[in-house]
Structures are given as structure tokens and as C-alpha cells.
Amino acid sequence: MKLLKALVLIFALCFSFQGFAQTATITGVVLNEQNKPLANVNVSSTNNGTSTDANGYYILKITSDQKTNITFSHISHADVVLEKLILTTNETFEFYPILKANSIQIDEVTITATGKKKSLGISNLSTQQIKKIPGANAGVENILKLLPGVNSNNELSTQYAVRGGNYDENLIYINEIEVYKPFLIRSGQQEGLSFINSNLVQSVKFSAGGFQAKYGDKLSSTLNITYKKPIEFGAQIDISLLGASASIETMSKNKKLSNITGVRYRNNSLLVNSKNTNTNFNPTFGDFQTYSTYKFSDKLLFNFLGNISINNYQNEPLTRETNFGTLNNPQTLLVHYQGKEDNRFNTALGALKANYFVSDHVTLKAISSVYHTTEEEYSDVIAAYRLGPSEIVFNENSSTDISKGIGSQFNRSRNDLDALLFNLEHKGKYSKENKEIEWGIKYTHEDIRDQLRESEFIDSTGFSIRPPQSQFTNNQPNEPFNAPIEAFEGIYATNFIKTNRFSGYIQFSKNTTWNTHDIYYNAGIRSQYWTTSGTGVEKVSQTVYSPRTQIGIKPNWKKDMLFRIAAGIYHQPPFYRELRNSQGIINPNVKAQKALHIVAGNEYSFALWDRPFTMIGEVYYKKLTNVNPYTIEDVRIRYAALNNAKAYAYGAELRLNGAFVPGTESWVSLSYLKTEENIEDKGYISRPTDQRLKVAVLFQDYIPNMPDLKMYLNLVYNTGLPGGSPSYADPYIFQKRLRDYKRADLGISYIFVGDNKKFSKNHWTHNFKELTIGIEVFNLFNNQNSITNTWVRDVESKQQFAIPNFMTSRVLNLKLSMRL
């Protein structure tokens, strides 16, 4: 109680709106007309100044959240003035001016609070926020889940659903290299680490729909990550009760080779032990990631991205106690376990990228990558349960008849998957004046080797429950039934599948004016041809075409308004999991799912309390055909492997972003979504991702008299998802929703060393660029959230009870961050 009171007191003190000067950073390279670095250029703002080094590089601190003019001057060149620059606290903005000789030049650039206008519907997210905002799975995905239209009811997972789509419908790129996730992971607690290492990230761009043709063939969203290109030595170490990470940045003396490397380790025991299942939990999640850049010449640049991830998940469940029901009829499920799970997910990625700058107008790129994953799911778990009124379940000697509430089940799996994915891609861009043409062609080879061995035996009061199929129809327990014992649910399959894909795109974009109004438009088309074959599987080939367009209009008004509209066709050719049905059987004739996107949005930037704010609103509609229905249990998706449904999704989103507290960036988002599907013309029902209402708040604050004591808070409220249905059940019957998801994560940190707080050479902290100690409270209000249901069967009445699987309770975490 004392700890909670102290946290509440600190929380209350932090809500203050008094100002304190904070800074942002502008950096880049100054070039001459021949695109050569220019040394000894004076770079100055109102309160600060610096000069470029021999390589033309500069870095300048400026005051955040206010308009600033930056002047670039050189004795033999005309000045360049960057006017009305507004950056948020800790934001880093890159600017590469070109100074011309013997001419008069003044460039005026207006930057909004988020750094750039988002005429294409792309959200630019602050990397500083990503590192500091608390969360059970902190990182890029943690910030995404606070955006409108992005939903997740599982704090242990990095998976997210966007505008009614599922987890498989999102594209992820790192420096234009597509990355993948393991195939077999079925629960959030098995996800130790996101592929994205937050310490290596330089920029994050996210689009929730209506994106350009140059992005790939998925139905919902695209996330584009850019890793850092170091310019000097740096190192960072983060340690917490959940694990540790370290990264190092290096640059060669000749400035040609740079590298950033990160190592991470994570242990979810702190979080998993807060759930209502008592376990012996011994996971090992670790990865090594490196990104290198080598400047072969002024025209030729090479990049390498490498990643090795080892995830060893061992879990021995012991007991589980779940209370549910009503005040008048409280129920309890008590489970005793024997056995354990032993799962391994090992992945490796290697990618090489070449950039050739043919001229000032033409850039050519070549990208090759290899992704390999070996995954094992081995488990033998016996669960014996007692179900009934709470006062009876705990009374072993009760004479009350509770036989219908006693049962057991045995789950066994021996699943092995080996997948090899190879990509070879060419991209090009031609830009001149306000016009730009981009094109690309890509070849992908997928080799999947999968063996499924899963079975579930259910027993209730001594009678084995067989599958609800005609050959097993019986009148147990009233009459004996002598058929052989069969698993209630069993999957036995071996699949060897190969897919070859050829995809390409071309798009044209232009900035122009019409009656003094700025107009931007982009039009493009992409296509994909693929062939699927395998052992015992017929060879099938298919082709799709996807035209897409975006238009942005910035009226010449006194108010800073931006309007945009996007429309297009989006296809999702089936990946391996979409070809495999719930019995493990491959259907190579599954067609690409198709969606028509229509998105309209508005962005309004304004000043409030003399601080920058932005209001972003969007409405959207999706019409989906050739839909492949699926079910979700935790984070595992099982497809019907049939295009026997149609669906729709529509919604509206609103986000207010700005400096609610001077020197900070916070936002409030609100979104409404409705998505339904019609399977085999039976009528429309809610899709598994039908998350109707979402409210999210990201808030940052500090104590005015102690500005180094900072508070970070995120709040999420989601209405409940459909709870799913038990095996063999008709989803049209089971449409009851889970309880609403409510969560608050609080982080409080004290900055011992930072950008505005340095110490003399004699002080032990002099070599630190940053030293921060913090405390995090996950699930601050200890809400009981559930991700899915466990279905418990009563053999006598044939009734099945939905027992909620609760997520983590309140957890305390300590964190130490150091940067050299």
C-alpha cells in the first residue's frame, strides 16, 4: 500500500503544465553543387551555432516546440536559410542543404510538429518515444498499439491487427528488406523478442491502409523501419528485470564503413508468473543483429543486414485456478497439470543491398536476402480439472454431486517446420524537379517442409469423448460404446511445398500547384504471378493486378490544413499457412484475398497555448472478396483454406497530437471499427478481429522544479473481441464477446545524465551521454483482461463452458539505461 500511495503521489505531481526548456537536434551533411561535402560551413540558430567538419557533417541542438531559423553560410557560397523549423523534444531531424556558388538563394521550409507533412497517409513515429514508453513488450509495436485503428488485446505479444485485418496481413520492412516472423508460435508468451531492435532504429513510418504500389502484397498495413547509419562511436546498455540489451555504433577512420550491432536477452518469467496459471517457466530468448554500410565510392554504397534469433521456450504448468460467473452463481475451474512444453524457434536472416547513384536524378538498387527458420513444438501435458460452484470445488469431502464437473484432457504435439525463403529484388527511382518515377521487380522462392502431429484426448467422469462424427455417435454413459478410442481432435500431416513468386510495380508521383493550392498525386500498379507445387500437391499458377492511387491537397489557407484521399486494389496471395486448413491438408487452389480500400483523411496543424498541435482524422471502407476464413486462439491463426466468404470493414479514426505539456509530445486517439464476414451466404457475423471501439492515450510529463524526473503513461481501452468457438462448433452460434480490454502502463524515470545535464571531466559520469534509472508498473490498475476462452465440456449435458484465459496482473519492473 505504501508503494501504491507513493506512485499515486508521484503520478499526481507529474500532471503540471509549467514550461521548461527542452531541445531537439538537427543534423546532416552540407553539399556543394557537385554533391561533394562542404567543410567549414557555419550553421547557426538564434541561440546556438556550429560548423561542418571535413566531411561536411554537422549536428546542432535547438530549442524544441518553437519556430527556429537555421542559417547555413560559407564565404564562397550563398546562404541557405531553413525557416520556421519546429521540432518536438528529443526529435532528430535530418537536413542536407546544397549551397550554390555566386548566386542568391533562400530556401524556406515549413516543418510541422511531427517533422514532415504526411501527404501519403504515413505516420512518422518518434524513436525517442519508442525507447521510453513503458510496456510489457516495449518497442516499436508497443507504440503502434496506441495508434487509432491498430488493435491488440495481448500485452505479451508483438502481433497487431489493423483496421479489421489479422496478424498475417501486415508488411514489415527494415531498410527496404522484408522481414518475417516464425510460423508456429501459438501464444504471446512464446514471443520473446520482436525482430525489430529499438536501439538500432533511426526512423519509423507506418501506414494503416491505402498505401502506395511500391509496397508489397498484403491487405492491411505497412511498417517501414530505417536502421541508423552511425557517424561516430556510441554504445548503449539497457538492463531490467525482464532482460538486457546492448548496442554499439562504430565508424571507420576514412568514414567509409559504419556499423551498428545489437545483442538482446529476454526472460518473460516476471510477466508469466503474474498469470493465474502456476508454472515452472524457463525461457531463453536472445538475438544478435547487425547492420553495416560501406561506401565503395561516391556513387556506390553497400548495406548488410544480419540477424540470428534463438528462442527456447520451456514451460511446465503446475496448477491453474480461475474464478468466473456471477455474484449469485460464482464458478471455479481448478486444474492440476502434469507434463511440459518444450518449443524452439530458431531463425536467421542475411540480406545484402547495393545502392548505385547513376546521377542526381537516377538511383538503382539491388536487394537479396535469405531467411531460414527451424521450429519445433514438442509437448505432453495432462490436465485434470474440477468445475463447479466455488464452495464445492474446494470441498474434497462434499457429498454434493459434482461428477459432471470432473474431467481431464491430454494434449500432445510433435510439430516440426523448416522454411527457407529467398528474395532477389531490383528497385529504381528517377526524380527531376517535382516528378518522380519508381519501379521494381522481385523474385521470391519459398521452400516449406512441415510435419504436424497434434492430438487432444478429452475424458469426463471416466468416459472418453470422441469426435462428433457419425461413426462415433453413441449414447454414453447410459449405454456402453466399444469403438476404439480416438483423439477428440487430431492433426496428422506432412507437407513439402514450394512457391515461386514474381512481382513488380511501377508508379508515378508529382507535386504541382493549382490556383496557388499545393497538390500531390501518386498513381501506380503492381502485379504478382506465383506458382505453388509440392509432394502430392498439384501445380497451380495464378496472377493478380493491383492499381493504387493517392491524392493530397494543401489549400493556400491561413489555417494549415491538408486533405488526402487514397483508393486501390490490394491482393494477398496465399502464404503457406493460408494454404493449410485446420486438418493440415494443403489446398493449392486457394486464391489471393482481395480488398478494395477507400481512405479519406484530413490533417490540421495549429498552435494552442503557443505550442504546436496536430489533429488527424481518417475514414475508411474496405470491401473484401475471396476471403479465406480463419479462427484465432491467442495468436495462432488457423485458416479454412477456402475462398468461401466475403467481408467488409469500415471505420473512423481521430488523433490529437501535440505538446500538452511544454517540451513533451503526447497524443489521444479514438477509433471505431466494424468488420463482418459472410461465410457461404449464411449471413454476416463478426470477424475474429471485430474490435469496435478503441481509446488510447500516450502522455508524457515532468515535475517543473525537477525536470529530470519524468513520467510516461500509456492507457488503452478496447471493447471485447468475439470469444471464438470450441472445436467442431458452428461460429454462427458462438458470437459472445470477451470482456473489454483495459490497461495502463506507467513509467517513472530520473535522468542523471542527458543532453541538458553534463558533468565535468573529473566527475565519474563525464563519459556518459545518458544515464537513466526508472521504475515501471505494468497493468497499473490490475485489470483482469482475457485473450481467449478455454472450453470445458460436460459429458452428461454436452454443454461447454467458456473459461476466460486471463492475461498478466500488476507487475513491477526496474530499468537502467546507459549511453556512451
Side-chain angles (χ1 to χ4, degrees), residues 468-487:
Q469 300 169 358
S470 58
Q471 64 268 36
F472 297 110
T473 302
N474 64 85
N475 192 28
Q476 288 189 97
N478 298 325
E479 297 179 10
F481 185 66
N482 297 321
I485 294 177
E486 293 283 341

Short mmCIF file of all heavy atoms in Angstrom, two decimals, residues 468-487:
data_model
loop_
_atom_site.label_atom_id
_atom_site.label_comp_id
_atom_site.label_asym_id
_atom_site.label_seq_id
_atom_site.Cartn_x
_atom_site.Cartn_y
_atom_site.Cartn_z
N PRO A 468 -17.22 -35.52 -32.77
CA PRO A 468 -18.66 -35.51 -33.06
C PRO A 468 -18.93 -35.84 -34.52
O PRO A 468 -19.43 -35.01 -35.29
CB PRO A 468 -19.06 -34.07 -32.71
CG PRO A 468 -17.83 -33.27 -32.95
CD PRO A 468 -16.68 -34.16 -32.59
N GLN A 469 -18.59 -37.08 -34.92
CA GLN A 469 -18.78 -37.55 -36.28
C GLN A 469 -19.70 -38.76 -36.27
O GLN A 469 -19.87 -39.44 -35.23
CB GLN A 469 -17.43 -37.88 -36.92
CG GLN A 469 -16.48 -36.69 -36.99
CD GLN A 469 -15.06 -37.07 -37.37
OE1 GLN A 469 -14.76 -38.24 -37.55
NE2 GLN A 469 -14.19 -36.07 -37.46
N SER A 470 -20.32 -39.04 -37.40
CA SER A 470 -21.38 -40.06 -37.46
C SER A 470 -20.91 -41.42 -36.97
O SER A 470 -21.65 -42.14 -36.29
CB SER A 470 -21.91 -40.16 -38.89
OG SER A 470 -20.85 -40.48 -39.79
N GLN A 471 -19.68 -41.81 -37.28
CA GLN A 471 -19.21 -43.14 -36.88
C GLN A 471 -18.99 -43.27 -35.38
O GLN A 471 -18.81 -44.37 -34.87
CB GLN A 471 -17.92 -43.50 -37.62
CG GLN A 471 -16.72 -42.62 -37.32
CD GLN A 471 -16.60 -41.46 -38.28
OE1 GLN A 471 -17.61 -40.91 -38.71
NE2 GLN A 471 -15.37 -41.10 -38.64
N PHE A 472 -19.01 -42.13 -34.68
CA PHE A 472 -18.81 -42.18 -33.23
C PHE A 472 -20.09 -41.81 -32.47
O PHE A 472 -20.04 -41.56 -31.26
CB PHE A 472 -17.69 -41.24 -32.82
CG PHE A 472 -16.35 -41.61 -33.40
CD1 PHE A 472 -15.75 -40.83 -34.38
CD2 PHE A 472 -15.70 -42.77 -33.00
CE1 PHE A 472 -14.53 -41.17 -34.93
CE2 PHE A 472 -14.48 -43.12 -33.54
CZ PHE A 472 -13.88 -42.33 -34.51
N THR A 473 -21.23 -41.75 -33.14
CA THR A 473 -22.48 -41.43 -32.46
C THR A 473 -22.80 -42.50 -31.43
O THR A 473 -22.76 -43.70 -31.73
CB THR A 473 -23.62 -41.30 -33.47
OG1 THR A 473 -23.29 -40.29 -34.42
CG2 THR A 473 -24.93 -40.94 -32.78
N ASN A 474 -23.11 -42.10 -30.20
CA ASN A 474 -23.36 -43.08 -29.13
C ASN A 474 -24.23 -42.45 -28.06
O ASN A 474 -24.56 -41.26 -28.12
CB ASN A 474 -22.04 -43.56 -28.52
CG ASN A 474 -21.28 -42.45 -27.85
OD1 ASN A 474 -21.53 -42.14 -26.69
ND2 ASN A 474 -20.34 -41.83 -28.58
N ASN A 475 -24.58 -43.22 -27.10
CA ASN A 475 -25.44 -42.78 -26.00
C ASN A 475 -24.71 -42.93 -24.67
O ASN A 475 -25.27 -43.37 -23.67
CB ASN A 475 -26.75 -43.58 -26.00
CG ASN A 475 -27.78 -42.95 -25.07
OD1 ASN A 475 -27.76 -41.75 -24.84
ND2 ASN A 475 -28.67 -43.78 -24.52
N GLN A 476 -23.43 -42.64 -24.65
CA GLN A 476 -22.70 -42.68 -23.39
C GLN A 476 -23.20 -41.56 -22.47
O GLN A 476 -23.57 -40.49 -22.96
CB GLN A 476 -21.19 -42.50 -23.64
CG GLN A 476 -20.53 -43.72 -24.28
CD GLN A 476 -19.03 -43.56 -24.30
OE1 GLN A 476 -18.37 -44.09 -23.41
NE2 GLN A 476 -18.50 -42.86 -25.28
N PRO A 477 -23.17 -41.81 -21.16
CA PRO A 477 -22.71 -43.02 -20.45
C PRO A 477 -23.82 -44.03 -20.19
O PRO A 477 -23.62 -45.02 -19.50
CB PRO A 477 -22.22 -42.43 -19.13
CG PRO A 477 -23.14 -41.28 -18.90
CD PRO A 477 -23.45 -40.70 -20.24
N ASN A 478 -25.03 -43.78 -20.75
CA ASN A 478 -26.15 -44.69 -20.46
C ASN A 478 -25.97 -46.06 -21.11
O ASN A 478 -26.45 -47.07 -20.59
CB ASN A 478 -27.46 -44.05 -20.95
CG ASN A 478 -27.76 -42.75 -20.22
OD1 ASN A 478 -27.47 -42.62 -19.04
ND2 ASN A 478 -28.31 -41.77 -20.93
N GLU A 479 -25.30 -46.13 -22.25
CA GLU A 479 -25.05 -47.39 -22.92
C GLU A 479 -23.58 -47.51 -23.25
O GLU A 479 -22.95 -46.52 -23.63
CB GLU A 479 -25.87 -47.47 -24.22
CG GLU A 479 -27.38 -47.45 -24.01
CD GLU A 479 -28.13 -47.49 -25.32
OE1 GLU A 479 -27.48 -47.73 -26.36
OE2 GLU A 479 -29.36 -47.29 -25.30
N PRO A 480 -23.00 -48.70 -23.11
CA PRO A 480 -21.57 -48.86 -23.42
C PRO A 480 -21.32 -48.70 -24.93
O PRO A 480 -22.17 -49.02 -25.76
CB PRO A 480 -21.26 -50.29 -22.95
CG PRO A 480 -22.58 -50.98 -22.98
CD PRO A 480 -23.62 -49.95 -22.64
N PHE A 481 -20.14 -48.19 -25.24
CA PHE A 481 -19.75 -47.96 -26.63
C PHE A 481 -18.34 -48.49 -26.79
O PHE A 481 -17.41 -48.03 -26.12
CB PHE A 481 -19.83 -46.47 -26.96
CG PHE A 481 -19.57 -46.15 -28.40
CD1 PHE A 481 -20.45 -46.58 -29.39
CD2 PHE A 481 -18.45 -45.42 -28.77
CE1 PHE A 481 -20.23 -46.27 -30.72
CE2 PHE A 481 -18.22 -45.11 -30.11
CZ PHE A 481 -19.10 -45.53 -31.08
N ASN A 482 -18.15 -49.46 -27.67
CA ASN A 482 -16.89 -50.22 -27.74
C ASN A 482 -15.99 -49.81 -28.90
O ASN A 482 -15.03 -50.50 -29.20
CB ASN A 482 -17.20 -51.72 -27.83
CG ASN A 482 -17.92 -52.23 -26.60
OD1 ASN A 482 -17.61 -51.80 -25.48
ND2 ASN A 482 -18.89 -53.11 -26.80
N ALA A 483 -16.30 -48.72 -29.57
CA ALA A 483 -15.43 -48.28 -30.66
C ALA A 483 -14.06 -47.89 -30.11
O ALA A 483 -13.93 -47.53 -28.93
CB ALA A 483 -16.07 -47.09 -31.38
N PRO A 484 -13.01 -47.99 -30.94
CA PRO A 484 -11.66 -47.64 -30.44
C PRO A 484 -11.59 -46.18 -30.02
O PRO A 484 -12.30 -45.32 -30.54
CB PRO A 484 -10.76 -47.92 -31.64
CG PRO A 484 -11.66 -47.85 -32.83
CD PRO A 484 -12.98 -48.38 -32.36
N ILE A 485 -10.73 -45.94 -29.05
CA ILE A 485 -10.56 -44.58 -28.55
C ILE A 485 -9.84 -43.74 -29.62
O ILE A 485 -8.81 -44.14 -30.15
CB ILE A 485 -9.75 -44.57 -27.25
CG1 ILE A 485 -10.54 -45.26 -26.13
CG2 ILE A 485 -9.39 -43.14 -26.83
CD1 ILE A 485 -9.80 -45.37 -24.83
N GLU A 486 -10.45 -42.62 -29.96
CA GLU A 486 -9.90 -41.70 -30.93
C GLU A 486 -9.70 -40.34 -30.28
O GLU A 486 -10.44 -39.96 -29.38
CB GLU A 486 -10.83 -41.55 -32.14
CG GLU A 486 -10.98 -42.79 -32.98
CD GLU A 486 -9.77 -43.01 -33.87
OE1 GLU A 486 -9.01 -42.04 -34.08
OE2 GLU A 486 -9.58 -44.15 -34.34
N ALA A 487 -8.68 -39.66 -30.74
CA ALA A 487 -8.47 -38.32 -30.23
C ALA A 487 -9.66 -37.44 -30.59
O ALA A 487 -10.20 -37.52 -31.71
CB ALA A 487 -7.19 -37.72 -30.82
#
